[in-house]
Tab-separated table of all heavy atoms in Angstrom:
chain	number	residue	atom	x	y	z
A	58	GLY	N	-8.681	-13.186	-26.347
A	58	GLY	CA	-9.161	-14.266	-25.448
A	58	GLY	C	-8.052	-14.667	-24.449
A	58	GLY	O	-8.329	-15.554	-23.627
A	59	SER	N	-6.931	-14.149	-24.484
A	59	SER	CA	-5.813	-14.578	-23.573
A	59	SER	C	-5.313	-13.366	-22.773
A	59	SER	O	-5.219	-12.237	-23.351
A	59	SER	CB	-4.578	-15.150	-24.370
A	59	SER	OG	-4.986	-16.363	-25.051
A	60	TRP	N	-5.007	-13.708	-21.548
A	60	TRP	CA	-4.527	-12.611	-20.647
A	60	TRP	C	-2.969	-12.685	-20.483
A	60	TRP	O	-2.448	-13.760	-20.554
A	60	TRP	CB	-5.155	-12.786	-19.243
A	60	TRP	CG	-6.580	-12.408	-19.179
A	60	TRP	CD1	-7.641	-13.298	-19.220
A	60	TRP	CD2	-7.123	-11.127	-18.997
A	60	TRP	NE1	-8.832	-12.557	-19.100
A	60	TRP	CE2	-8.491	-11.192	-18.907
A	60	TRP	CE3	-6.524	-9.878	-18.884
A	60	TRP	CZ2	-9.326	-10.115	-18.758
A	60	TRP	CZ3	-7.385	-8.745	-18.690
A	60	TRP	CH2	-8.737	-8.987	-18.666
A	61	GLY	N	-2.407	-11.552	-20.369
A	61	GLY	CA	-1.027	-11.373	-20.037
A	61	GLY	C	-0.871	-10.421	-18.809
A	61	GLY	O	-1.738	-9.522	-18.699
A	62	PHE	N	0.096	-10.679	-18.058
A	62	PHE	CA	0.265	-9.834	-16.818
A	62	PHE	C	1.791	-9.588	-16.647
A	62	PHE	O	2.625	-10.462	-16.933
A	62	PHE	CB	-0.213	-10.514	-15.591
A	62	PHE	CG	0.008	-9.762	-14.296
A	62	PHE	CD1	-0.827	-8.621	-14.043
A	62	PHE	CD2	1.086	-9.999	-13.542
A	62	PHE	CE1	-0.644	-7.945	-12.912
A	62	PHE	CE2	1.263	-9.220	-12.379
A	62	PHE	CZ	0.453	-8.134	-12.063
A	63	ALA	N	2.093	-8.357	-16.200
A	63	ALA	CA	3.503	-8.025	-15.865
A	63	ALA	C	3.501	-7.046	-14.713
A	63	ALA	O	2.407	-6.244	-14.568
A	63	ALA	CB	4.214	-7.449	-16.996
A	64	SER	N	4.542	-6.946	-13.962
A	64	SER	CA	4.579	-5.947	-12.820
A	64	SER	C	6.052	-5.453	-12.748
A	64	SER	O	6.986	-6.028	-13.333
A	64	SER	CB	4.196	-6.665	-11.526
A	64	SER	OG	5.104	-7.700	-11.196
A	65	THR	N	6.128	-4.297	-12.075
A	65	THR	CA	7.400	-3.734	-11.920
A	65	THR	C	7.403	-2.834	-10.638
A	65	THR	O	6.310	-2.447	-10.198
A	65	THR	CB	7.896	-2.782	-13.155
A	65	THR	OG1	9.116	-2.243	-12.885
A	65	THR	CG2	6.848	-1.690	-13.413
A	66	ASN	N	8.548	-2.683	-10.057
A	66	ASN	CA	8.712	-1.785	-8.965
A	66	ASN	C	9.508	-0.586	-9.365
A	66	ASN	O	9.968	0.194	-8.477
A	66	ASN	CB	9.212	-2.519	-7.659
A	66	ASN	CG	10.644	-3.112	-7.976
A	66	ASN	OD1	11.194	-2.921	-9.028
A	66	ASN	ND2	11.155	-3.685	-6.944
A	67	ASP	N	9.674	-0.352	-10.581
A	67	ASP	CA	10.479	0.866	-11.057
A	67	ASP	C	9.602	1.510	-12.167
A	67	ASP	O	9.237	0.977	-13.152
A	67	ASP	CB	11.732	0.271	-11.764
A	67	ASP	CG	12.632	1.434	-12.098
A	67	ASP	OD1	12.215	2.601	-12.246
A	67	ASP	OD2	13.865	1.132	-12.321
A	68	ILE	N	9.345	2.791	-11.882
A	68	ILE	CA	8.436	3.665	-12.744
A	68	ILE	C	9.018	3.698	-14.129
A	68	ILE	O	8.250	3.898	-15.108
A	68	ILE	CB	8.302	5.056	-12.043
A	68	ILE	CG1	7.018	5.634	-12.672
A	68	ILE	CG2	9.489	5.850	-12.151
A	68	ILE	CD1	6.510	6.889	-11.932
A	69	LYS	N	10.282	3.606	-14.237
A	69	LYS	CA	10.955	3.683	-15.645
A	69	LYS	C	10.676	2.455	-16.435
A	69	LYS	O	10.887	2.494	-17.661
A	69	LYS	CB	12.515	3.889	-15.483
A	69	LYS	CG	12.834	5.222	-14.916
A	69	LYS	CD	14.272	5.440	-14.794
A	69	LYS	CE	14.689	5.917	-13.399
A	69	LYS	NZ	15.526	5.116	-12.620
A	70	ASP	N	10.239	1.395	-15.858
A	70	ASP	CA	10.078	0.086	-16.534
A	70	ASP	C	8.540	-0.136	-16.957
A	70	ASP	O	8.239	-1.277	-17.267
A	70	ASP	CB	10.558	-1.010	-15.730
A	70	ASP	CG	12.035	-1.105	-15.553
A	70	ASP	OD1	12.714	-0.450	-16.455
A	70	ASP	OD2	12.507	-1.694	-14.631
A	71	ILE	N	7.719	0.804	-16.763
A	71	ILE	CA	6.279	0.558	-17.010
A	71	ILE	C	6.028	0.259	-18.454
A	71	ILE	O	5.292	-0.743	-18.847
A	71	ILE	CB	5.399	1.744	-16.601
A	71	ILE	CG1	5.347	1.775	-15.051
A	71	ILE	CG2	3.957	1.652	-17.159
A	71	ILE	CD1	4.655	2.985	-14.376
A	72	GLU	N	6.577	1.001	-19.439
A	72	GLU	CA	6.453	0.595	-20.858
A	72	GLU	C	6.954	-0.730	-21.257
A	72	GLU	O	6.265	-1.489	-21.915
A	72	GLU	CB	7.118	1.658	-21.709
A	72	GLU	CG	6.758	1.387	-23.167
A	72	GLU	CD	7.262	2.567	-24.077
A	72	GLU	OE1	7.436	3.791	-23.659
A	72	GLU	OE2	7.529	2.244	-25.357
A	73	SER	N	8.145	-1.111	-20.702
A	73	SER	CA	8.626	-2.421	-20.999
A	73	SER	C	7.766	-3.529	-20.318
A	73	SER	O	7.581	-4.703	-20.881
A	73	SER	CB	10.127	-2.616	-20.586
A	73	SER	OG	10.155	-2.450	-19.221
A	74	SER	N	7.148	-3.241	-19.225
A	74	SER	CA	6.193	-4.145	-18.577
A	74	SER	C	4.867	-4.330	-19.427
A	74	SER	O	4.337	-5.428	-19.461
A	74	SER	CB	5.863	-3.724	-17.182
A	74	SER	OG	7.016	-3.693	-16.331
A	75	VAL	N	4.488	-3.264	-20.078
A	75	VAL	CA	3.283	-3.330	-20.907
A	75	VAL	C	3.673	-4.314	-22.140
A	75	VAL	O	2.775	-5.138	-22.424
A	75	VAL	CB	2.984	-1.992	-21.502
A	75	VAL	CG1	1.817	-2.149	-22.636
A	75	VAL	CG2	2.348	-1.100	-20.330
A	76	ILE	N	4.868	-4.207	-22.663
A	76	ILE	CA	5.313	-5.024	-23.747
A	76	ILE	C	5.353	-6.464	-23.282
A	76	ILE	O	4.923	-7.367	-24.016
A	76	ILE	CB	6.664	-4.565	-24.313
A	76	ILE	CG1	6.463	-3.218	-24.943
A	76	ILE	CG2	7.230	-5.592	-25.248
A	76	ILE	CD1	7.885	-2.529	-25.229
A	77	ILE	N	5.863	-6.700	-22.131
A	77	ILE	CA	5.903	-8.087	-21.539
A	77	ILE	C	4.567	-8.681	-21.404
A	77	ILE	O	4.244	-9.821	-21.733
A	77	ILE	CB	6.700	-8.129	-20.216
A	77	ILE	CG1	8.172	-7.786	-20.499
A	77	ILE	CG2	6.567	-9.438	-19.476
A	77	ILE	CD1	8.994	-7.479	-19.230
A	78	ALA	N	3.564	-7.897	-20.855
A	78	ALA	CA	2.198	-8.341	-20.671
A	78	ALA	C	1.517	-8.696	-21.995
A	78	ALA	O	0.832	-9.689	-22.079
A	78	ALA	CB	1.406	-7.329	-19.941
A	79	ALA	N	1.891	-7.854	-23.079
A	79	ALA	CA	1.275	-8.049	-24.314
A	79	ALA	C	1.860	-9.418	-24.961
A	79	ALA	O	1.037	-10.206	-25.488
A	79	ALA	CB	1.553	-6.931	-25.277
A	80	LYS	N	3.106	-9.563	-24.821
A	80	LYS	CA	3.763	-10.827	-25.360
A	80	LYS	C	3.182	-12.009	-24.575
A	80	LYS	O	3.044	-13.074	-25.217
A	80	LYS	CB	5.237	-10.759	-25.213
A	80	LYS	CG	5.907	-9.813	-26.189
A	80	LYS	CD	7.423	-9.798	-26.064
A	80	LYS	CE	8.016	-8.874	-27.000
A	80	LYS	NZ	9.507	-8.762	-26.830
A	81	MET	N	2.975	-11.959	-23.228
A	81	MET	CA	2.435	-13.041	-22.477
A	81	MET	C	1.099	-13.381	-22.917
A	81	MET	O	0.724	-14.558	-23.065
A	81	MET	CB	2.440	-12.651	-21.038
A	81	MET	CG	2.093	-13.791	-20.165
A	81	MET	SD	2.019	-13.395	-18.365
A	81	MET	CE	3.728	-13.134	-18.087
A	82	ALA	N	0.193	-12.457	-23.201
A	82	ALA	CA	-1.119	-12.664	-23.724
A	82	ALA	C	-1.112	-13.344	-24.994
A	82	ALA	O	-1.790	-14.268	-25.263
A	82	ALA	CB	-1.894	-11.325	-23.791
A	83	GLU	N	-0.247	-12.851	-25.862
A	83	GLU	CA	-0.082	-13.495	-27.225
A	83	GLU	C	0.342	-14.899	-27.092
A	83	GLU	O	-0.091	-15.818	-27.711
A	83	GLU	CB	0.913	-12.650	-28.035
A	83	GLU	CG	1.085	-13.112	-29.575
A	83	GLU	CD	2.054	-12.241	-30.223
A	83	GLU	OE1	2.101	-11.022	-30.061
A	83	GLU	OE2	2.864	-12.758	-30.931
A	84	ARG	N	1.370	-15.212	-26.324
A	84	ARG	CA	1.903	-16.541	-26.227
A	84	ARG	C	0.979	-17.529	-25.391
A	84	ARG	O	1.076	-18.735	-25.523
A	84	ARG	CB	3.294	-16.488	-25.518
A	84	ARG	CG	4.332	-15.821	-26.365
A	84	ARG	CD	5.656	-15.830	-25.773
A	84	ARG	NE	6.545	-15.080	-26.736
A	84	ARG	CZ	7.604	-14.392	-26.390
A	84	ARG	NH1	7.959	-14.274	-25.115
A	84	ARG	NH2	8.372	-13.745	-27.156
A	85	ALA	N	0.122	-16.963	-24.645
A	85	ALA	CA	-0.829	-17.774	-23.854
A	85	ALA	C	-1.988	-18.256	-24.681
A	85	ALA	O	-2.776	-19.132	-24.225
A	85	ALA	CB	-1.313	-16.960	-22.621
A	86	ARG	N	-2.149	-17.644	-25.803
A	86	ARG	CA	-3.365	-18.016	-26.653
A	86	ARG	C	-3.195	-19.412	-27.122
A	86	ARG	O	-2.198	-19.907	-27.523
A	86	ARG	CB	-3.424	-17.049	-27.858
A	86	ARG	CG	-4.646	-17.093	-28.599
A	86	ARG	CD	-4.812	-15.999	-29.594
A	86	ARG	NE	-4.367	-14.672	-29.190
A	86	ARG	CZ	-3.352	-13.987	-29.692
A	86	ARG	NH1	-2.654	-14.534	-30.740
A	86	ARG	NH2	-3.016	-12.834	-29.336
A	87	MET	N	-4.372	-20.150	-27.059
A	87	MET	CA	-4.370	-21.532	-27.505
A	87	MET	C	-4.967	-21.566	-28.931
A	87	MET	O	-5.682	-20.720	-29.323
A	87	MET	CB	-5.329	-22.295	-26.551
A	87	MET	CG	-4.917	-22.256	-25.127
A	87	MET	SD	-3.331	-23.085	-24.772
A	87	MET	CE	-3.782	-24.787	-24.988
A	88	PRO	N	-4.568	-22.657	-29.672
A	88	PRO	CA	-5.220	-22.663	-30.985
A	88	PRO	C	-6.735	-22.812	-30.879
A	88	PRO	O	-7.234	-23.501	-29.998
A	88	PRO	CB	-4.593	-24.009	-31.603
A	88	PRO	CG	-3.394	-24.275	-30.744
A	88	PRO	CD	-3.631	-23.674	-29.409
A	89	LYS	N	-7.401	-22.223	-31.761
A	89	LYS	CA	-8.924	-22.199	-31.847
A	89	LYS	C	-9.558	-21.720	-30.495
A	89	LYS	O	-10.664	-22.084	-30.130
A	89	LYS	CB	-9.387	-23.674	-32.121
A	89	LYS	CG	-8.885	-24.183	-33.496
A	89	LYS	CD	-9.523	-25.544	-33.755
A	89	LYS	CE	-8.968	-26.157	-35.006
A	89	LYS	NZ	-9.379	-27.541	-35.278
A	90	GLN	N	-8.893	-20.882	-29.846
A	90	GLN	CA	-9.385	-20.322	-28.581
A	90	GLN	C	-10.431	-19.299	-28.848
A	90	GLN	O	-10.375	-18.543	-29.755
A	90	GLN	CB	-8.172	-19.664	-27.745
A	90	GLN	CG	-8.737	-19.052	-26.441
A	90	GLN	CD	-7.519	-18.570	-25.660
A	90	GLN	OE1	-6.391	-19.099	-25.779
A	90	GLN	NE2	-7.716	-17.679	-24.799
A	91	LYS	N	-11.493	-19.341	-28.106
A	91	LYS	CA	-12.583	-18.407	-28.271
A	91	LYS	C	-12.239	-17.029	-27.698
A	91	LYS	O	-11.524	-17.063	-26.632
A	91	LYS	CB	-13.903	-18.775	-27.514
A	91	LYS	CG	-14.587	-20.019	-28.183
A	91	LYS	CD	-15.780	-20.311	-27.460
A	91	LYS	CE	-16.590	-21.575	-28.115
A	91	LYS	NZ	-17.786	-21.765	-27.379
A	92	GLU	N	-12.568	-15.948	-28.415
A	92	GLU	CA	-12.300	-14.711	-27.861
A	92	GLU	C	-13.221	-14.375	-26.660
A	92	GLU	O	-14.437	-14.898	-26.673
A	92	GLU	CB	-12.478	-13.592	-28.905
A	92	GLU	CG	-11.272	-13.736	-29.935
A	92	GLU	CD	-11.146	-12.394	-30.718
A	92	GLU	OE1	-11.654	-11.354	-30.299
A	92	GLU	OE2	-10.697	-12.562	-31.933
A	93	LEU	N	-12.719	-13.741	-25.745
A	93	LEU	CA	-13.492	-13.333	-24.522
A	93	LEU	C	-14.163	-11.944	-24.800
A	93	LEU	O	-13.574	-11.129	-25.520
A	93	LEU	CB	-12.645	-13.130	-23.351
A	93	LEU	CG	-11.975	-14.407	-22.734
A	93	LEU	CD1	-10.980	-14.014	-21.587
A	93	LEU	CD2	-13.002	-15.311	-22.206
A	94	SER	N	-15.268	-11.793	-24.314
A	94	SER	CA	-15.804	-10.398	-24.265
A	94	SER	C	-16.169	-9.989	-22.831
A	94	SER	O	-16.680	-10.738	-22.094
A	94	SER	CB	-17.039	-10.453	-25.149
A	94	SER	OG	-18.049	-11.183	-24.628
A	95	LEU	N	-15.681	-8.802	-22.570
A	95	LEU	CA	-15.891	-8.237	-21.238
A	95	LEU	C	-17.219	-7.526	-21.246
A	95	LEU	O	-17.719	-7.009	-22.268
A	95	LEU	CB	-14.796	-7.341	-20.793
A	95	LEU	CG	-13.405	-8.002	-20.835
A	95	LEU	CD1	-12.295	-6.907	-20.378
A	95	LEU	CD2	-13.338	-9.074	-19.763
A	96	ALA	N	-17.823	-7.382	-20.073
A	96	ALA	CA	-19.069	-6.642	-19.949
A	96	ALA	C	-18.840	-5.200	-20.325
A	96	ALA	O	-17.731	-4.619	-19.990
A	96	ALA	CB	-19.611	-6.677	-18.511
A	97	ASP	N	-19.770	-4.482	-20.936
A	97	ASP	CA	-19.733	-3.145	-21.239
A	97	ASP	C	-19.697	-2.342	-20.017
A	97	ASP	O	-20.557	-2.572	-19.109
A	97	ASP	CB	-20.745	-2.728	-22.220
A	97	ASP	CG	-20.543	-3.298	-23.637
A	97	ASP	OD1	-19.385	-3.477	-24.007
A	97	ASP	OD2	-21.551	-3.547	-24.262
A	98	THR	N	-18.810	-1.374	-19.824
A	98	THR	CA	-18.844	-0.601	-18.656
A	98	THR	C	-18.548	0.855	-19.131
A	98	THR	O	-17.965	1.081	-20.151
A	98	THR	CB	-17.797	-0.945	-17.621
A	98	THR	OG1	-16.530	-0.888	-18.203
A	98	THR	CG2	-17.957	-2.328	-17.128
A	99	LYS	N	-19.043	1.752	-18.367
A	99	LYS	CA	-18.685	3.168	-18.708
A	99	LYS	C	-17.414	3.630	-18.016
A	99	LYS	O	-17.090	3.093	-16.938
A	99	LYS	CB	-19.843	4.125	-18.306
A	99	LYS	CG	-20.200	4.195	-16.769
A	99	LYS	CD	-21.243	5.161	-16.535
A	99	LYS	CE	-21.463	5.222	-15.014
A	99	LYS	NZ	-22.427	6.168	-14.671
A	100	ALA	N	-16.759	4.522	-18.588
A	100	ALA	CA	-15.493	5.055	-17.998
A	100	ALA	C	-15.816	5.798	-16.778
A	100	ALA	O	-16.782	6.589	-16.691
A	100	ALA	CB	-14.692	5.932	-19.086
A	101	ILE	N	-14.910	5.644	-15.817
A	101	ILE	CA	-14.994	6.377	-14.598
A	101	ILE	C	-13.805	7.234	-14.297
A	101	ILE	O	-12.727	6.667	-14.434
A	101	ILE	CB	-15.165	5.394	-13.319
A	101	ILE	CG1	-16.500	4.606	-13.533
A	101	ILE	CG2	-15.208	6.272	-11.956
A	101	ILE	CD1	-16.663	3.472	-12.518
A	102	LYS	N	-14.037	8.540	-14.153
A	102	LYS	CA	-12.974	9.492	-13.838
A	102	LYS	C	-13.171	10.009	-12.438
A	102	LYS	O	-14.290	10.623	-12.224
A	102	LYS	CB	-12.847	10.451	-14.816
A	102	LYS	CG	-12.373	9.929	-16.286
A	102	LYS	CD	-11.933	11.085	-17.181
A	102	LYS	CE	-11.652	10.545	-18.523
A	102	LYS	NZ	-10.331	9.939	-18.650
A	103	ASP	N	-12.253	9.659	-11.538
A	103	ASP	CA	-12.650	10.074	-10.101
A	103	ASP	C	-11.260	10.227	-9.346
A	103	ASP	O	-10.304	9.610	-9.696
A	103	ASP	CB	-13.495	9.072	-9.448
A	103	ASP	CG	-14.221	9.609	-8.253
A	103	ASP	OD1	-14.174	10.899	-7.977
A	103	ASP	OD2	-14.942	8.825	-7.535
A	104	LYS	N	-11.330	11.017	-8.250
A	104	LYS	CA	-10.228	11.171	-7.335
A	104	LYS	C	-10.878	11.012	-5.919
A	104	LYS	O	-11.846	11.805	-5.655
A	104	LYS	CB	-9.558	12.454	-7.460
A	104	LYS	CG	-8.753	12.486	-8.787
A	104	LYS	CD	-7.921	13.848	-8.844
A	104	LYS	CE	-7.127	13.799	-10.219
A	104	LYS	NZ	-6.487	14.972	-10.527
A	105	VAL	N	-10.410	10.064	-5.193
A	105	VAL	CA	-10.864	9.889	-3.799
A	105	VAL	C	-9.745	10.157	-2.903
A	105	VAL	O	-8.757	9.568	-2.915
A	105	VAL	CB	-11.438	8.430	-3.660
A	105	VAL	CG1	-11.933	8.125	-2.316
A	105	VAL	CG2	-12.502	8.112	-4.679
A	106	VAL	N	-10.007	11.117	-1.999
A	106	VAL	CA	-8.998	11.459	-1.016
A	106	VAL	C	-9.482	11.217	0.372
A	106	VAL	O	-10.593	11.802	0.759
A	106	VAL	CB	-8.601	12.994	-1.156
A	106	VAL	CG1	-7.605	13.333	-0.126
A	106	VAL	CG2	-8.042	13.260	-2.564
A	107	GLN	N	-8.830	10.358	1.149
A	107	GLN	CA	-9.209	10.170	2.522
A	107	GLN	C	-8.795	11.306	3.376
A	107	GLN	O	-7.677	11.719	3.350
A	107	GLN	CB	-8.454	8.882	3.012
A	107	GLN	CG	-8.889	8.519	4.403
A	107	GLN	CD	-8.183	7.223	4.833
A	107	GLN	OE1	-7.311	6.714	4.138
A	107	GLN	NE2	-8.405	6.708	6.065
A	108	LYS	N	-9.780	11.817	4.050
A	108	LYS	CA	-9.581	13.062	4.931
A	108	LYS	C	-9.144	12.556	6.319
A	108	LYS	O	-9.863	11.739	6.924
A	108	LYS	CB	-10.709	13.897	4.928
A	108	LYS	CG	-10.966	14.569	3.488
A	108	LYS	CD	-12.080	15.537	3.463
A	108	LYS	CE	-12.123	16.029	2.100
A	108	LYS	NZ	-13.183	16.625	1.556
A	109	VAL	N	-8.136	13.164	6.848
A	109	VAL	CA	-7.802	12.802	8.231
A	109	VAL	C	-7.523	14.163	8.954
A	109	VAL	O	-7.143	15.161	8.407
A	109	VAL	CB	-6.465	11.913	8.278
A	109	VAL	CG1	-6.751	10.620	7.617
A	109	VAL	CG2	-5.335	12.600	7.580
A	110	LYS	N	-7.657	13.987	10.206
A	110	LYS	CA	-7.455	15.263	11.089
A	110	LYS	C	-6.046	15.629	11.145
A	110	LYS	O	-5.661	16.872	11.020
A	110	LYS	CB	-7.975	14.974	12.505
A	110	LYS	CG	-8.216	16.134	13.394
A	110	LYS	CD	-8.872	15.842	14.704
A	110	LYS	CE	-9.183	16.967	15.546
A	110	LYS	NZ	-9.881	16.676	16.734
A	111	HIS	N	-5.125	14.684	11.312
A	111	HIS	CA	-3.697	14.930	11.408
A	111	HIS	C	-2.981	13.956	10.508
A	111	HIS	O	-2.998	12.663	10.743
A	111	HIS	CB	-3.184	14.755	12.795
A	111	HIS	CG	-3.775	15.719	13.890
A	111	HIS	ND1	-3.524	17.040	13.843
A	111	HIS	CD2	-4.645	15.501	14.745
A	111	HIS	CE1	-4.293	17.629	14.809
A	111	HIS	NE2	-5.061	16.651	15.400
A	112	HIS	N	-2.399	14.374	9.384
A	112	HIS	CA	-1.773	13.496	8.503
A	112	HIS	C	-0.400	13.018	9.039
A	112	HIS	O	0.351	13.897	9.558
A	112	HIS	CB	-1.535	14.128	7.156
A	112	HIS	CG	-1.310	13.198	6.044
A	112	HIS	ND1	-0.052	12.540	5.923
A	112	HIS	CD2	-2.109	12.797	4.994
A	112	HIS	CE1	-0.200	11.731	4.870
A	112	HIS	NE2	-1.306	11.930	4.302
A	113	PRO	N	-0.024	11.782	8.997
A	113	PRO	CA	1.234	11.224	9.613
A	113	PRO	C	2.451	11.969	8.982
A	113	PRO	O	3.476	12.146	9.716
A	113	PRO	CB	1.262	9.767	9.217
A	113	PRO	CG	-0.171	9.351	9.060
A	113	PRO	CD	-0.902	10.655	8.502
Side-chain angles (χ1 to χ4, degrees):
S59 296
W60 286 98
F62 178 80
S64 64
T65 181
N66 61 1
D67 189 338
I68 197 166
K69 294 180 228 120
D70 291 339
I71 289 177
E72 185 174 332
S73 61
S74 295
V75 170
I76 294 167
I77 291 167
K80 285 180 181 177
M81 185 182 290
E83 186 179 317
R84 291 179 182 152
R86 195 171 315 116
M87 303 295 287
K89 299 181 184 179
Q90 181 171 334
K91 288 184 180 181
E92 287 196 27
L93 294 175
S94 61
L95 300 176
D97 288 330
T98 60
K99 64 179 183 175
I101 298 171
K102 294 194 182 278
D103 200 4
K104 291 184 180 174
V105 180
V106 178
Q107 183 180 2
K108 294 183 177 159
V109 294
K110 194 172 184 178
H111 302 287
H112 199 290

